[in-house]
Amino acid sequence: MKKRRLIAMGLSVMMTMSLLMGCGSTSNSNSSTSSAGSSTNASEASSNEGSKKTYRVAYIARAQSDSFAAWLANEIMAEAEEYDDITLDVFDGQADDEKENTAIENAIASKYDAIIVQPNNGEAQRPYVEKVVQNGIIAITTNARIDGIEGSSSVDADPYKQAAVNAQLALEQIPQNAKVVVLKGPSGNFHADERRKAWQIEFFDKRPDVQIVAEDFANWNKDEAMALMEDWVIAHGKIDAIISMNDNMAAGALEVIAGKPEFENTLVYGVDGTAEALLLIKEGKMTATCLQSAIELSELILDTVHKLLTGEEKQIDTDIGSPIITKDNVDEYIQMYKERGLITE
């Protein structure tokens, strides 16, 4: 049987962000070429294109250590290459509110034409995105959007729907009187909170027989999920289902129980549809995930920022779809990754 392997999506992001981050860095350094193939010094771009306007865009990513955030940053960089009037610089928030907020402030000071923010903690970033708007710069929040900022646009997915499709499937799959554990994203994060809310309404309220034996924040992080799962396995023994608010945490929990016969039938649910999760579903180790397509998100993000920059639209708030992925349809999504070069055989 052929072995599949994952391309290290985070590698190029890590290299780019390590060059660009440094809180005092500006977009017009030589390193900005690394952030997107079309990214060059704005004045150089303007001279090359004659009188054509070139727009400088900053993307503030949540954290390259998060597999989905790394995938999204890579896709945004690739999509930016399709626009000859956009130069893109990417900065890493390193899953740290202070660092992400500093990056936003630096982007404002550097007078970017547009700043796209993937929040680490929406409420922590809110006042800084408000500053973007106040400075007359186009502001877009994504994955997750920050609601209620007048003058800011958003491109996102519906996190309630993402979890609901899993929860509705789990109603029929999780056995009676099951013991389950729940891995949560960061407290106060819109996606984390809405996904947990969906699981409560769509599953736990309808299945009072199911016992949550452990629940905690793993902050989208695989290592944190592994540490929690190690403790839970010792404390509770056999666990019937792992309910995770994203794939990265689900994969971490799965590493802990890998090869243990008593966990062979443990059901595992996640969100994002990462390449790693798809291979785990294909191998029968993970039950289901909801695709949050970084490909679709990046296309919408760049389309949105371009329409706002050129004045075609003044305000845009839009969502991508929320398809469920199981063993029955996983092959078509694996093929999607193969075509992007993210899974090879």
Side-chain angles (χ1 to χ4, degrees), residues 25-38:
S25 68
T26 63
S27 64
N28 287 335
S29 66
N30 291 335
S31 64
S32 62
T33 304
S34 301
S35 62
S38 61

Side-chain angles (χ1 to χ4, degrees), residues 261-321:
E262 64 270 34
F263 294 97
E264 184 177 353
N265 296 317
T266 298
L267 302 168
V268 184
Y269 303 88
V271 173
D272 283 338
T274 62
E276 181 179 23
L278 299 194
L279 294 182
L280 289 169
I281 291 172
K282 179 70 175 178
E283 294 165 6
K285 298 176 181 177
M286 189 165 168
T287 309
T289 185
C290 175
L291 178 64
Q292 180 170 247
S293 173
I295 299 167
E296 188 178 357
L297 263 178
S298 65
E299 291 171 351
L300 270 179
I301 288 166
L302 267 295
D303 180 66
T304 294
V305 74
H306 192 261
K307 286 177 177 176
L308 295 170
L309 286 166
T310 59
E312 183 178 340
E313 300 282 352
K314 299 298 183 185
Q315 174 82 28
I316 299 175
D317 295 287
T318 186
D319 285 340
I320 62 171

Side-chain angles (χ1 to χ4, degrees), residues 14-191:
M14 187 183 302
M15 293 173 65
T16 298
M17 293 178 178
S18 64
L19 286 169
L20 290 174
M21 184 52 198
C23 291
S25 68
T26 63
S27 64
N28 287 335
S29 66
N30 291 335
S31 64
S32 62
T33 304
S34 301
S35 62
S38 61
S39 184
T40 58
N41 180 283
S43 61
E44 292 175 359
S46 295
S47 63
N48 290 339
E49 296 293 332
S51 61
K52 185 175 180 179
K53 172 72 174 177
T54 300
Y55 303 99
R56 297 171 59 239
V57 177
Y59 175 60
I60 316 296
R62 180 173 62 240
Q64 65 82 23
S65 60
D66 177 328
S67 60
F68 181 81
W71 178 26
L72 180 58
N74 273 343
E75 293 295 341
I76 286 175
M77 288 189 287
E79 186 64 20
E81 295 179 359
E82 301 299 316
Y83 292 82
D84 59 7
D85 57 350
I86 286 179
T87 67
L88 176 74
D89 292 329
V90 178
F91 302 90
D92 185 5
Q94 300 179 41
D96 183 295
D97 287 336
E98 184 177 349
K99 290 178 180 177
E100 180 154 0
N101 294 339
T102 298
I104 297 170
E105 287 189 313
N106 288 341
I108 294 170
S110 296
K111 301 184 185 303
Y112 280 89
D113 297 298
I115 300 173
I116 304 163
V117 176
Q118 181 192 29
N120 181 58
N121 175 345
E123 290 310 302
Q125 277 73 68
R126 179 182 293 277
Y128 294 87
V129 177
E130 289 173 344
K131 286 183 185 180
V132 175
V133 176
Q134 291 161 6
N135 278 271
I137 298 171
I138 288 168
I140 299 172
T141 58
T142 186
N143 187 242
R145 67 164 46 92
I146 306 175
D147 282 326
I149 300 178
E150 186 175 353
S152 175
S153 294
S154 65
V155 181
D156 202 6
D158 185 330
Y160 187 97
K161 289 182 180 177
Q162 291 174 330
V165 293
N166 274 308
Q168 289 156 7
L169 183 66
L171 280 173
E172 304 300 324
Q173 292 181 328
I174 293 180
Q176 286 291 310
N177 303 312
K179 296 193 302 181
V180 306
V181 296
V182 179
L183 291 162
K184 299 191 290 187
S187 176
N189 179 280
F190 175 61
H191 274 217

Side-chain angles (χ1 to χ4, degrees), residues 221-233:
N221 187 278
K222 179 182 285 189
D223 290 339
E224 291 186 40
M226 288 179 68
L228 288 171
M229 193 66 186
E230 286 169 353
D231 291 340
W232 294 344
V233 166

